[in-house]
Amino acid sequence: MIDKYKKLREWMVDTQIVERGIRDERVIKVMKKIPRHLFVPENIMDDAYDDRALPIGYGQTISQPYIVALMTELLELKGDEKVLEIGTGSGYQAAILAELAKEVHTIERVEPLAKEAEKKFEKLSIKNIKVYVRDGTEGIPEEAPFDRIIITAATPDIPEPLIEQLKEGGIIVAPVGERYSQYMLKAIKKGKELERHYLIPVAFVPLIGKYGWKEE
Ligand code: SAM
């Protein structure tokens, strides 16, 4: 049987990811491997490789494939890192990170999404991801420090606890700005400060929590 999703995945990587300038071979390879269609609701599986974010329930989304690839590339993973993700959502970004790093700790505030993501990781025999249900803006002090941190929801600024929990020289990638429009930020920890590089405009769902936005 021809795997139609494998073909769609290759098309996605060629036309949306390589075409737009993603060059890290490890990122390209893993985007071709992880079955994105298994991370979206069954009734929209055929849309999984489209060039856009998709709804996953509870008012939340799985990010556009290119944005997942870009954020992953910006993290500069070599394979031995301990990574913290805020905003598990569907679990797709965590599954991508798990292939490229040593371990992934991912936090989701919506419990059913966290449980659903855990089931996906089990189904795909991904063993180096740990899922937490709590306010991700406070990080995971008991697991710190982290080599890399990725926030996959829009934040007014990088939450202070996350800066504290990032290793010296570590990288944090996050959409930073207004509640409904942000810039992708790549920041490197230098002492107590972050060296900041703002990249492209993006639009993520808000990060809700103590150091994020208030629930509306
Ligand atoms: N990384 C996800 C994926 O691969 O599907 C997409 C994440 S979605 C754009 C943002 C997620 O952040 C939502 O699932 C939302 O519930 C979650 N979120 C928002 N505020 C949060 C917080 N304070 N702590 C943890 N998760 C949060």
Side-chain angles (χ1 to χ4, degrees), residues 5 7 11 13 15 19-20 35 38 67 71 78 87 99 110 126 133 137 146 155 167 171 186 193 201 207:
Y5 291 118
K7 275 201 169 351
W11 167 81
V13 170
T15 61
E19 185 76 21
R20 292 201 181 107
L38 298 184
I67 294 296
M71 293 180 88
K78 301 288 177 263
E99 283 275 330
V110 179
I126 302 172
V133 179
T137 68
F146 296 95
T155 179
K167 264 190 199 161
I171 299 173
K186 172 179 179 171
E193 302 295 317
L207 181 76

Side-chain angles (χ1 to χ4, degrees), residues 20 26-27 30 60 80 98-99 148-149 156 184 196 203 211:
R20 292 201 181 107
R26 295 177 75 235
V27 175
V30 72
Q60 305 306 327
D80 58 352
E99 283 275 330
R148 302 287 187 263
I149 299 179
M184 188 61 74
R196 292 166 181 256
Y211 299 89

Side-chain angles (χ1 to χ4, degrees), residues 60-61 85 87-90 93 107-110 135-136 152 208:
Q60 305 306 327
T61 54
E85 181 194 29
T88 314
S90 69
Q93 173 79 71
I107 315 178
E108 175 53 58
R109 68 186 281 272
V110 179
D135 176 5
T152 63
I208 309 289

Side-chain angles (χ1 to χ4, degrees), residues 36-48 54-57 62 90 120:
R36 181 171 162 95
H37 60 281
L38 298 184
F39 290 88
V40 304
E42 228 164 290
N43 63 323
I44 55 167
M45 262 191 185
D46 284 357
D47 302 334
L54 292 170
I56 55 170
I62 176 174
S90 69
K120 307 271 160 75

Side-chain angles (χ1 to χ4, degrees), residues 123-134:
K123 186 172 172 188
L124 293 169
S125 304
I126 302 172
K127 300 199 189 306
N128 56 341
I129 303 178
K130 197 164 170 202
V131 183
Y132 303 75
V133 179
R134 55 169 86 172

